[in-house]
Amino acid sequence: MSKPLNEQVAVLGVGCTKFGDNVDQNLSDMMVDAAQAACNDAGVTMDELQAAWLGTFSPGFNGGKASITLADALRFRQRPITRVENYCATGTDAFRNAAAAIGAGLYEMVLVLGAEKLKDRAVRGLQREGIHPLIEAGSTAPGMFAMAANRYMHTYGLDRSTLAKVAVKNHANGVLSEKAHLRMQITEEQALAAPMIAYPFGLFDCCPTTDGAAAAILCRADIAQKRGKDLILLRGSGLAVSSGKPYLDPTCEYLGFPSTRQAADQAYKTAGITDPVKQIDFAEVHDCFTWTEITNYEDLGFCNKGEGGKFIAEGRSTLQGDLPVNPSGGLKSFGHPVGATGVRMIYELTTQLRGQAGARQVKDAEVGLAHNLGGPGAVACVIILGREA
Amino acid sequence: MIGIVSYAVYLPSYRISREVVATAWGGRAQAGQKVVMRYDEDPITMAAYAAWQTLASLPDDRRATGALYFASTSMPYWERLNGSVVAALCDLRASTFVADFGGSLRAGTSALWAAADRLSANPDAAELAIVVAADAREAEPGSAEELSFSDAAGAIALGSRDLIAELLSRATRYDDFFESARRDRDEFVSTYEGKFSTERGYLRSLRAVIQQVLEQSGVTAGDVAKLVVPAFEKRSYLLLAEKLGFAANRVQNVTWDNLGNTGCAAPLLLLSAALEEVKPGELVLCAGYGNGADAFLFRVTDRIADFRPRVGLSLQRKNEIHYKTYTLYRKAREYRHSHKDGLELTNIFYNKEEAQITRLHGTECQHCGTRHFPMVRVCAKCEQSDNLLEVALQRTGTVFTFAVDHLAASPFPPTVMAAVDLDGGGRIYCEVVDSEPEAVQIGMPVELVARRLREGGGLYHYYWKCRPRRDA
């Protein structure tokens, strides 16, 4: 029986760089900017942080596979640092592990930092690593999600114009997000006419590859309370891992992601959520591709299986809807620097819960959900934060 | 008695019209088309398909194979047994005798000769001897040869029981005369065509061996239902038949316009085509030519009526995909010679992987029956780990889902990738080839085909792709 981790950990401060083609910054530059912004926001110095978690997927140039990337960039020395890599769910899993350490009583205050520099690579899209050179040759991120989307669309009859509605909504939100990568309004017609990437995904069905970093300072809830700030508490978290090779798994149905359902189930139990649509005020979900957001609605319990298309078509996930999804613009518009994305979701949740989201502010935001998905359903992480009145 | 037990052919799906080739070089248009392999094919992959089909057309209990003879003048490897790749792709056991035959355009019939020798030495053996010939000869761009050379494979399985045709007689002769050659340092074939070559070479050698087998068997040209001879141009084979007294309607049509010159694969391919048409009791005379000639006389048995090749020549003549321009065809051809993606696989890695990547073995859970590819230690369905057995997976299946991917690196995007559920169990992830991308659908029946997937470290790396089932 695992111990529930709720009401014990607070988000004291958050920071986020501008996301985009950050051609003038390297990985370290962005890490320093995000960490310092989070410290300033929390009103603490780097010296007060007892440990750090670094989320990076592919640190590349100026980064390493281990935790030294953070140590060297921030001169964060002689303290524990753990590097987390869990596909595209890297950022939220780094956060989850940091929170667990505080919950376990190991530390009082720690840093979570997610960062990624993708735009100085020669390859298009994300490089696939650790796959069999023959048995998995030819796989790309859009291709893998397209296989899932095609099976889903074959089964439930979704069409491409419904996918386009997700892109239109998230781009509209992104226009209101100063730090977003692609801040432009698009129309459904534009989305449908865009060049094909991997059927059914056209260019506007795919999130961009992005540079960026985001950071959060976590501390014990009682310490945050003493500091007299808005108290943003971790209400629930969950992580579930399933096959990273659904195309080789004869049991995979490809109709959404059981790992999301399982991670959400864990988080909902801890947070006491039984009716997500009523109890959650907004969500940042992993919309790496437009269809992914649609299946996320279903797997997170916002609607029944097969009804995700209706959920977006009825406008329920817009900023004005009854459950706004991706007010930040999501991966689609805010961008997707892999290791940074999950921490960026924590940044958005905290900003919304404090009522500081400006033009994209969700009304009466008291409980927010972050959902981070790695691979085609291989790794899912769900984090629920709430504001204490 | 020894003879033919099974036969098969392989024709690549791609075509280019001779008019497109000729006019690209400013020449006069010629009739017909060439049959050309895709950029991921070579004589090994073509041979693997044909050799496998000789087995796939037989019931499971008649597939035991004792030998595989691989003939080609365009072997992918100068050093490494090409036939062993073909044998492993066909999942033949280690005790199989495997040898490469090359050098001459009659390598296919030379291999057939050697297989007949093997069976004659032990006529009671139950095991088959598969003879497979494949060629993908390179012609100089812009040359006359470029208009005629086609890529294909033919295979004949010889045996000593359940024969569809009995071998009655055979004759051979060598002749150090040549009308084509390619040295160790040459990229392209050189030819010496013309009346002299035809008369001194082709007609002289073939007449000698054909007359010899007729005499040995005490039959005349008029008794033979099918004369099967290769052709290096449109007319000389008909002239040969005429000189030997064969009526024109008894000569197996080489379908020059649609097939062209398929090198050393031609005699076996044409013999397969003839066997699709013959009746019990008929005589079939098959000859190969190149630096001499071989001839074989067969008598068709009653069993021919019960034998049907799983994917016959007529099925493979459908589903043609045409290169619309010479540039596209040339790009595919050049890509084969220029593309090295740097994948270096050690023999340690290959040794561990051969069973799954080449032989297409998977594991089957003995608790719940679920099959897995690649081989796994723990069942994905029931999660038991104590009783998974290695099994040969079936090479047909259906598309469970797919993606038409424009981002994946390819010389001819988009790449169609599919998750294929194999008949009998197991899911494989592979490219869908030999089909227009728009035609690929969930539920589509497919067959697995071995292709040259990647290249690096001085090796070609073969792996499986799939294509729409030709017999579905």
mmCIF file of all heavy atoms in Angstrom, chain A residues 309-352:
data_model
loop_
_atom_site.group_PDB
_atom_site.id
_atom_site.type_symbol
_atom_site.label_atom_id
_atom_site.label_comp_id
_atom_site.label_asym_id
_atom_site.label_seq_id
_atom_site.Cartn_x
_atom_site.Cartn_y
_atom_site.Cartn_z
ATOM 1 N N GLY A 309 -13.910 13.746 -29.429
ATOM 2 C CA GLY A 309 -14.168 14.644 -30.560
ATOM 3 C C GLY A 309 -15.325 15.582 -30.259
ATOM 4 O O GLY A 309 -15.282 16.782 -30.561
ATOM 5 N N LYS A 310 -16.359 15.032 -29.613
ATOM 6 C CA LYS A 310 -17.531 15.834 -29.242
ATOM 7 C C LYS A 310 -17.131 16.895 -28.199
ATOM 8 O O LYS A 310 -17.599 18.031 -28.239
ATOM 9 C CB LYS A 310 -18.605 14.890 -28.671
ATOM 10 C CG LYS A 310 -20.017 15.386 -28.825
ATOM 11 C CD LYS A 310 -21.007 14.298 -28.435
ATOM 12 C CE LYS A 310 -21.627 14.672 -27.093
ATOM 13 N NZ LYS A 310 -22.431 13.628 -26.480
ATOM 14 N N PHE A 311 -16.227 16.477 -27.301
ATOM 15 C CA PHE A 311 -15.797 17.367 -26.213
ATOM 16 C C PHE A 311 -15.171 18.651 -26.767
ATOM 17 O O PHE A 311 -15.471 19.758 -26.304
ATOM 18 C CB PHE A 311 -14.793 16.623 -25.322
ATOM 19 C CG PHE A 311 -14.559 17.244 -23.975
ATOM 20 C CD1 PHE A 311 -15.425 17.006 -22.914
ATOM 21 C CD2 PHE A 311 -13.459 18.066 -23.746
ATOM 22 C CE1 PHE A 311 -15.211 17.569 -21.665
ATOM 23 C CE2 PHE A 311 -13.232 18.635 -22.497
ATOM 24 C CZ PHE A 311 -14.114 18.379 -21.448
ATOM 25 N N ILE A 312 -14.318 18.496 -27.802
ATOM 26 C CA ILE A 312 -13.709 19.691 -28.393
ATOM 27 C C ILE A 312 -14.715 20.409 -29.299
ATOM 28 O O ILE A 312 -14.805 21.642 -29.284
ATOM 29 C CB ILE A 312 -12.392 19.361 -29.157
ATOM 30 C CG1 ILE A 312 -11.783 20.599 -29.840
ATOM 31 C CG2 ILE A 312 -12.586 18.288 -30.219
ATOM 32 C CD1 ILE A 312 -11.103 21.543 -28.935
ATOM 33 N N ALA A 313 -15.500 19.651 -30.058
ATOM 34 C CA ALA A 313 -16.439 20.270 -30.999
ATOM 35 C C ALA A 313 -17.456 21.130 -30.268
ATOM 36 O O ALA A 313 -17.894 22.174 -30.773
ATOM 37 C CB ALA A 313 -17.145 19.191 -31.824
ATOM 38 N N GLU A 314 -17.825 20.733 -29.059
ATOM 39 C CA GLU A 314 -18.805 21.515 -28.284
ATOM 40 C C GLU A 314 -18.162 22.674 -27.542
ATOM 41 O O GLU A 314 -18.839 23.394 -26.789
ATOM 42 C CB GLU A 314 -19.532 20.590 -27.293
ATOM 43 C CG GLU A 314 -20.472 19.617 -27.990
ATOM 44 C CD GLU A 314 -21.117 18.629 -27.025
ATOM 45 O OE1 GLU A 314 -20.692 18.571 -25.847
ATOM 46 O OE2 GLU A 314 -22.048 17.922 -27.462
ATOM 47 N N GLY A 315 -16.858 22.833 -27.683
ATOM 48 C CA GLY A 315 -16.180 23.979 -27.079
ATOM 49 C C GLY A 315 -15.977 23.880 -25.579
ATOM 50 O O GLY A 315 -15.688 24.863 -24.908
ATOM 51 N N ARG A 316 -16.099 22.677 -25.036
ATOM 52 C CA ARG A 316 -16.021 22.540 -23.583
ATOM 53 C C ARG A 316 -14.610 22.778 -23.043
ATOM 54 O O ARG A 316 -14.446 23.099 -21.869
ATOM 55 C CB ARG A 316 -16.516 21.144 -23.175
ATOM 56 C CG ARG A 316 -17.992 20.953 -23.526
ATOM 57 C CD ARG A 316 -18.491 19.609 -23.073
ATOM 58 N NE ARG A 316 -18.357 19.456 -21.623
ATOM 59 C CZ ARG A 316 -18.563 18.312 -20.972
ATOM 60 N NH1 ARG A 316 -18.909 17.232 -21.664
ATOM 61 N NH2 ARG A 316 -18.436 18.249 -19.673
ATOM 62 N N SER A 317 -13.585 22.620 -23.921
ATOM 63 C CA SER A 317 -12.214 22.777 -23.452
ATOM 64 C C SER A 317 -11.605 24.138 -23.800
ATOM 65 O O SER A 317 -10.427 24.372 -23.584
ATOM 66 C CB SER A 317 -11.348 21.649 -24.021
ATOM 67 O OG SER A 317 -11.482 21.597 -25.433
ATOM 68 N N THR A 318 -12.404 25.052 -24.354
ATOM 69 C CA THR A 318 -11.894 26.395 -24.635
ATOM 70 C C THR A 318 -11.763 27.161 -23.326
ATOM 71 O O THR A 318 -12.246 26.714 -22.270
ATOM 72 C CB THR A 318 -12.851 27.183 -25.558
ATOM 73 O OG1 THR A 318 -14.099 27.331 -24.856
ATOM 74 C CG2 THR A 318 -13.077 26.453 -26.868
ATOM 75 N N LEU A 319 -11.118 28.317 -23.398
ATOM 76 C CA LEU A 319 -10.938 29.151 -22.197
ATOM 77 C C LEU A 319 -12.266 29.452 -21.525
ATOM 78 O O LEU A 319 -12.352 29.597 -20.306
ATOM 79 C CB LEU A 319 -10.269 30.472 -22.585
ATOM 80 C CG LEU A 319 -8.760 30.604 -22.383
ATOM 81 C CD1 LEU A 319 -8.316 32.035 -22.643
ATOM 82 C CD2 LEU A 319 -8.336 30.158 -20.980
ATOM 83 N N GLN A 320 -13.345 29.556 -22.327
ATOM 84 C CA GLN A 320 -14.660 29.877 -21.775
ATOM 85 C C GLN A 320 -15.477 28.619 -21.452
ATOM 86 O O GLN A 320 -16.583 28.720 -20.932
ATOM 87 C CB GLN A 320 -15.464 30.732 -22.768
ATOM 88 C CG GLN A 320 -14.875 32.120 -23.032
ATOM 89 C CD GLN A 320 -13.618 32.077 -23.921
ATOM 90 O OE1 GLN A 320 -13.495 31.237 -24.812
ATOM 91 N NE2 GLN A 320 -12.669 32.968 -23.636
ATOM 92 N N GLY A 321 -14.932 27.458 -21.788
ATOM 93 C CA GLY A 321 -15.682 26.215 -21.598
ATOM 94 C C GLY A 321 -15.767 25.809 -20.136
ATOM 95 O O GLY A 321 -15.203 26.470 -19.252
ATOM 96 N N ASP A 322 -16.468 24.711 -19.889
ATOM 97 C CA ASP A 322 -16.630 24.287 -18.494
ATOM 98 C C ASP A 322 -15.388 23.601 -17.953
ATOM 99 O O ASP A 322 -15.231 23.455 -16.746
ATOM 100 C CB ASP A 322 -17.881 23.406 -18.322
ATOM 101 C CG ASP A 322 -17.820 22.119 -19.126
ATOM 102 O OD1 ASP A 322 -17.296 22.168 -20.255
ATOM 103 O OD2 ASP A 322 -18.289 21.081 -18.631
ATOM 104 N N LEU A 323 -14.475 23.179 -18.833
ATOM 105 C CA LEU A 323 -13.199 22.619 -18.376
ATOM 106 C C LEU A 323 -12.102 23.049 -19.355
ATOM 107 O O LEU A 323 -11.739 22.296 -20.263
ATOM 108 C CB LEU A 323 -13.282 21.082 -18.270
ATOM 109 C CG LEU A 323 -12.027 20.325 -17.836
ATOM 110 C CD1 LEU A 323 -11.267 21.026 -16.717
ATOM 111 C CD2 LEU A 323 -12.385 18.913 -17.430
ATOM 112 N N PRO A 324 -11.595 24.284 -19.191
ATOM 113 C CA PRO A 324 -10.571 24.770 -20.121
ATOM 114 C C PRO A 324 -9.348 23.849 -20.113
ATOM 115 O O PRO A 324 -8.867 23.453 -19.047
ATOM 116 C CB PRO A 324 -10.209 26.153 -19.573
ATOM 117 C CG PRO A 324 -11.399 26.570 -18.771
ATOM 118 C CD PRO A 324 -11.944 25.297 -18.177
ATOM 119 N N VAL A 325 -8.889 23.483 -21.318
ATOM 120 C CA VAL A 325 -7.715 22.629 -21.456
ATOM 121 C C VAL A 325 -6.647 23.388 -22.244
ATOM 122 O O VAL A 325 -6.930 23.963 -23.283
ATOM 123 C CB VAL A 325 -8.080 21.301 -22.153
ATOM 124 C CG1 VAL A 325 -6.814 20.468 -22.411
ATOM 125 C CG2 VAL A 325 -9.069 20.516 -21.309
ATOM 126 N N ASN A 326 -5.461 23.362 -21.701
ATOM 127 C CA ASN A 326 -4.315 24.057 -22.279
ATOM 128 C C ASN A 326 -4.528 25.558 -22.450
ATOM 129 O O ASN A 326 -4.353 26.101 -23.548
ATOM 130 C CB ASN A 326 -3.899 23.396 -23.608
ATOM 131 C CG ASN A 326 -3.198 22.072 -23.369
ATOM 132 O OD1 ASN A 326 -2.494 21.909 -22.373
ATOM 133 N ND2 ASN A 326 -3.400 21.121 -24.268
ATOM 134 N N PRO A 327 -4.873 26.252 -21.371
ATOM 135 C CA PRO A 327 -4.975 27.714 -21.459
ATOM 136 C C PRO A 327 -3.644 28.352 -21.863
ATOM 137 O O PRO A 327 -3.626 29.428 -22.453
ATOM 138 C CB PRO A 327 -5.394 28.134 -20.046
ATOM 139 C CG PRO A 327 -5.078 26.973 -19.162
ATOM 140 C CD PRO A 327 -5.230 25.759 -20.027
ATOM 141 N N SER A 328 -2.542 27.666 -21.613
ATOM 142 C CA SER A 328 -1.225 28.212 -21.972
ATOM 143 C C SER A 328 -1.007 28.231 -23.484
ATOM 144 O O SER A 328 -0.136 28.933 -23.984
ATOM 145 C CB SER A 328 -0.127 27.332 -21.365
ATOM 146 O OG SER A 328 -0.139 26.052 -21.998
ATOM 147 N N GLY A 329 -1.797 27.422 -24.198
ATOM 148 C CA GLY A 329 -1.530 27.194 -25.616
ATOM 149 C C GLY A 329 -1.058 25.764 -25.842
ATOM 150 O O GLY A 329 -0.983 25.295 -26.973
ATOM 151 N N GLY A 330 -0.685 25.101 -24.744
ATOM 152 C CA GLY A 330 -0.281 23.689 -24.837
ATOM 153 C C GLY A 330 1.027 23.507 -25.582
ATOM 154 O O GLY A 330 1.695 24.466 -25.952
ATOM 155 N N LEU A 331 1.376 22.266 -25.775
ATOM 156 C CA LEU A 331 2.589 21.956 -26.534
ATOM 157 C C LEU A 331 2.470 22.519 -27.948
ATOM 158 O O LEU A 331 3.442 22.959 -28.548
ATOM 159 C CB LEU A 331 2.815 20.451 -26.629
ATOM 160 C CG LEU A 331 3.436 19.725 -25.435
ATOM 161 C CD1 LEU A 331 2.581 19.820 -24.193
ATOM 162 C CD2 LEU A 331 3.723 18.277 -25.768
ATOM 163 N N LYS A 332 1.242 22.497 -28.450
ATOM 164 C CA LYS A 332 0.946 22.939 -29.818
ATOM 165 C C LYS A 332 1.434 24.362 -30.076
ATOM 166 O O LYS A 332 2.071 24.642 -31.078
ATOM 167 C CB LYS A 332 -0.572 22.828 -30.045
ATOM 168 C CG LYS A 332 -1.106 23.343 -31.344
ATOM 169 C CD LYS A 332 -0.914 22.344 -32.468
ATOM 170 C CE LYS A 332 0.348 22.550 -33.236
ATOM 171 N NZ LYS A 332 0.354 23.588 -34.220
ATOM 172 N N SER A 333 1.135 25.262 -29.149
ATOM 173 C CA SER A 333 1.480 26.665 -29.362
ATOM 174 C C SER A 333 2.614 27.127 -28.427
ATOM 175 O O SER A 333 3.500 27.869 -28.844
ATOM 176 C CB SER A 333 0.228 27.516 -29.150
ATOM 177 O OG SER A 333 0.580 28.870 -29.090
ATOM 178 N N PHE A 334 2.587 26.656 -27.183
ATOM 179 C CA PHE A 334 3.631 27.086 -26.236
ATOM 180 C C PHE A 334 4.973 26.457 -26.603
ATOM 181 O O PHE A 334 6.031 27.010 -26.340
ATOM 182 C CB PHE A 334 3.245 26.679 -24.802
ATOM 183 C CG PHE A 334 3.819 27.595 -23.750
ATOM 184 C CD1 PHE A 334 3.022 28.544 -23.126
ATOM 185 C CD2 PHE A 334 5.160 27.513 -23.378
ATOM 186 C CE1 PHE A 334 3.546 29.399 -22.156
ATOM 187 C CE2 PHE A 334 5.691 28.367 -22.413
ATOM 188 C CZ PHE A 334 4.880 29.306 -21.807
ATOM 189 N N GLY A 335 4.910 25.300 -27.265
ATOM 190 C CA GLY A 335 6.139 24.623 -27.681
ATOM 191 C C GLY A 335 6.452 23.435 -26.803
ATOM 192 O O GLY A 335 5.848 23.263 -25.738
ATOM 193 N N HIS A 336 7.400 22.613 -27.281
ATOM 194 C CA HIS A 336 7.677 21.358 -26.585
ATOM 195 C C HIS A 336 9.177 21.058 -26.486
ATOM 196 O O HIS A 336 9.697 20.225 -27.206
ATOM 197 C CB HIS A 336 6.934 20.215 -27.293
ATOM 198 C CG HIS A 336 7.058 18.888 -26.618
ATOM 199 N ND1 HIS A 336 7.227 18.745 -25.251
ATOM 200 C CD2 HIS A 336 7.050 17.622 -27.123
ATOM 201 C CE1 HIS A 336 7.308 17.450 -24.955
ATOM 202 N NE2 HIS A 336 7.217 16.757 -26.066
ATOM 203 N N PRO A 337 9.873 21.775 -25.589
ATOM 204 C CA PRO A 337 11.239 21.365 -25.269
ATOM 205 C C PRO A 337 11.122 20.225 -24.253
ATOM 206 O O PRO A 337 10.823 20.459 -23.080
ATOM 207 C CB PRO A 337 11.845 22.614 -24.623
ATOM 208 C CG PRO A 337 10.705 23.549 -24.354
ATOM 209 C CD PRO A 337 9.428 22.917 -24.774
ATOM 210 N N VAL A 338 11.342 19.011 -24.711
ATOM 211 C CA VAL A 338 10.855 17.803 -24.045
ATOM 212 C C VAL A 338 10.977 17.814 -22.512
ATOM 213 O O VAL A 338 9.977 17.763 -21.806
ATOM 214 C CB VAL A 338 11.556 16.553 -24.621
ATOM 215 C CG1 VAL A 338 11.055 15.292 -23.957
ATOM 216 C CG2 VAL A 338 11.340 16.492 -26.117
ATOM 217 N N GLY A 339 12.215 17.904 -22.005
ATOM 218 C CA GLY A 339 12.395 17.837 -20.548
ATOM 219 C C GLY A 339 11.777 19.020 -19.819
ATOM 220 O O GLY A 339 11.434 18.928 -18.633
ATOM 221 N N ALA A 340 11.622 20.145 -20.511
ATOM 222 C CA ALA A 340 11.086 21.350 -19.874
ATOM 223 C C ALA A 340 9.566 21.340 -19.802
ATOM 224 O O ALA A 340 8.970 21.969 -18.924
ATOM 225 C CB ALA A 340 11.552 22.596 -20.638
ATOM 226 N N THR A 341 8.924 20.628 -20.724
ATOM 227 C CA THR A 341 7.468 20.742 -20.866
ATOM 228 C C THR A 341 6.702 20.452 -19.574
ATOM 229 O O THR A 341 5.820 21.214 -19.179
ATOM 230 C CB THR A 341 6.975 19.838 -22.021
ATOM 231 O OG1 THR A 341 7.361 20.457 -23.245
ATOM 232 C CG2 THR A 341 5.468 19.664 -22.004
ATOM 233 N N GLY A 342 7.023 19.367 -18.905
ATOM 234 C CA GLY A 342 6.285 19.020 -17.687
ATOM 235 C C GLY A 342 6.438 20.072 -16.607
ATOM 236 O O GLY A 342 5.475 20.392 -15.887
ATOM 237 N N VAL A 343 7.628 20.638 -16.477
ATOM 238 C CA VAL A 343 7.842 21.680 -15.465
ATOM 239 C C VAL A 343 7.136 22.964 -15.893
ATOM 240 O O VAL A 343 6.607 23.709 -15.072
ATOM 241 C CB VAL A 343 9.351 21.902 -15.218
ATOM 242 C CG1 VAL A 343 9.559 22.849 -14.032
ATOM 243 C CG2 VAL A 343 10.068 20.575 -14.969
ATOM 244 N N ARG A 344 7.103 23.199 -17.201
ATOM 245 C CA ARG A 344 6.364 24.346 -17.737
ATOM 246 C C ARG A 344 4.868 24.219 -17.397
ATOM 247 O O ARG A 344 4.181 25.205 -17.122
ATOM 248 C CB ARG A 344 6.589 24.435 -19.261
ATOM 249 C CG ARG A 344 6.138 25.702 -19.946
ATOM 250 C CD ARG A 344 4.671 25.715 -20.309
ATOM 251 N NE ARG A 344 4.300 24.595 -21.152
ATOM 252 C CZ ARG A 344 3.062 24.141 -21.266
ATOM 253 N NH1 ARG A 344 2.072 24.689 -20.554
ATOM 254 N NH2 ARG A 344 2.796 23.103 -22.040
ATOM 255 N N MET A 345 4.356 22.992 -17.395
ATOM 256 C CA MET A 345 2.952 22.777 -17.011
ATOM 257 C C MET A 345 2.746 23.167 -15.543
ATOM 258 O O MET A 345 1.717 23.750 -15.187
ATOM 259 C CB MET A 345 2.556 21.308 -17.216
ATOM 260 C CG MET A 345 2.472 20.891 -18.677
ATOM 261 S SD MET A 345 2.205 19.097 -18.775
ATOM 262 C CE MET A 345 1.784 18.926 -20.512
ATOM 263 N N ILE A 346 3.726 22.827 -14.695
ATOM 264 C CA ILE A 346 3.659 23.214 -13.278
ATOM 265 C C ILE A 346 3.684 24.743 -13.160
ATOM 266 O O ILE A 346 2.961 25.338 -12.348
ATOM 267 C CB ILE A 346 4.847 22.599 -12.493
ATOM 268 C CG1 ILE A 346 4.831 21.067 -12.602
ATOM 269 C CG2 ILE A 346 4.858 23.078 -11.036
ATOM 270 C CD1 ILE A 346 3.614 20.381 -12.030
ATOM 271 N N TYR A 347 4.502 25.370 -13.995
ATOM 272 C CA TYR A 347 4.559 26.840 -14.059
ATOM 273 C C TYR A 347 3.182 27.408 -14.401
ATOM 274 O O TYR A 347 2.695 28.346 -13.762
ATOM 275 C CB TYR A 347 5.606 27.254 -15.108
ATOM 276 C CG TYR A 347 5.559 28.702 -15.526
ATOM 277 C CD1 TYR A 347 6.205 29.702 -14.779
ATOM 278 C CD2 TYR A 347 4.867 29.087 -16.677
ATOM 279 C CE1 TYR A 347 6.159 31.025 -15.171
ATOM 280 C CE2 TYR A 347 4.822 30.407 -17.070
ATOM 281 C CZ TYR A 347 5.464 31.383 -16.319
ATOM 282 O OH TYR A 347 5.413 32.699 -16.702
ATOM 283 N N GLU A 348 2.536 26.823 -15.404
ATOM 284 C CA GLU A 348 1.231 27.330 -15.839
ATOM 285 C C GLU A 348 0.170 27.095 -14.763
ATOM 286 O O GLU A 348 -0.634 27.981 -14.470
ATOM 287 C CB GLU A 348 0.815 26.666 -17.158
ATOM 288 C CG GLU A 348 -0.542 27.118 -17.702
ATOM 289 C CD GLU A 348 -0.554 28.569 -18.173
ATOM 290 O OE1 GLU A 348 0.543 29.143 -18.355
ATOM 291 O OE2 GLU A 348 -1.661 29.125 -18.347
ATOM 292 N N LEU A 349 0.188 25.900 -14.181
ATOM 293 C CA LEU A 349 -0.798 25.603 -13.133
ATOM 294 C C LEU A 349 -0.668 26.603 -11.997
ATOM 295 O O LEU A 349 -1.655 27.165 -11.519
ATOM 296 C CB LEU A 349 -0.574 24.176 -12.596
ATOM 297 C CG LEU A 349 -1.540 23.086 -13.069
ATOM 298 C CD1 LEU A 349 -1.617 23.029 -14.583
ATOM 299 C CD2 LEU A 349 -1.133 21.719 -12.518
ATOM 300 N N THR A 350 0.570 26.838 -11.551
ATOM 301 C CA THR A 350 0.816 27.738 -10.428
ATOM 302 C C THR A 350 0.385 29.163 -10.776
ATOM 303 O O THR A 350 -0.275 29.840 -9.973
ATOM 304 C CB THR A 350 2.311 27.688 -10.063
ATOM 305 O OG1 THR A 350 2.670 26.326 -9.809
ATOM 306 C CG2 THR A 350 2.609 28.532 -8.837
ATOM 307 N N THR A 351 0.744 29.598 -11.986
ATOM 308 C CA THR A 351 0.392 30.951 -12.431
ATOM 309 C C THR A 351 -1.130 31.125 -12.459
ATOM 310 O O THR A 351 -1.669 32.141 -11.999
ATOM 311 C CB THR A 351 0.999 31.209 -13.828
ATOM 312 O OG1 THR A 351 2.402 30.946 -13.768
ATOM 313 C CG2 THR A 351 0.787 32.641 -14.263
ATOM 314 N N GLN A 352 -1.828 30.132 -12.996
ATOM 315 C CA GLN A 352 -3.295 30.189 -13.058
ATOM 316 C C GLN A 352 -3.909 30.169 -11.662
ATOM 317 O O GLN A 352 -4.826 30.933 -11.348
ATOM 318 C CB GLN A 352 -3.844 29.006 -13.866
ATOM 319 C CG GLN A 352 -3.561 29.061 -15.366
ATOM 320 C CD GLN A 352 -4.522 29.975 -16.121
ATOM 321 O OE1 GLN A 352 -5.452 30.542 -15.539
ATOM 322 N NE2 GLN A 352 -4.263 30.154 -17.413
#
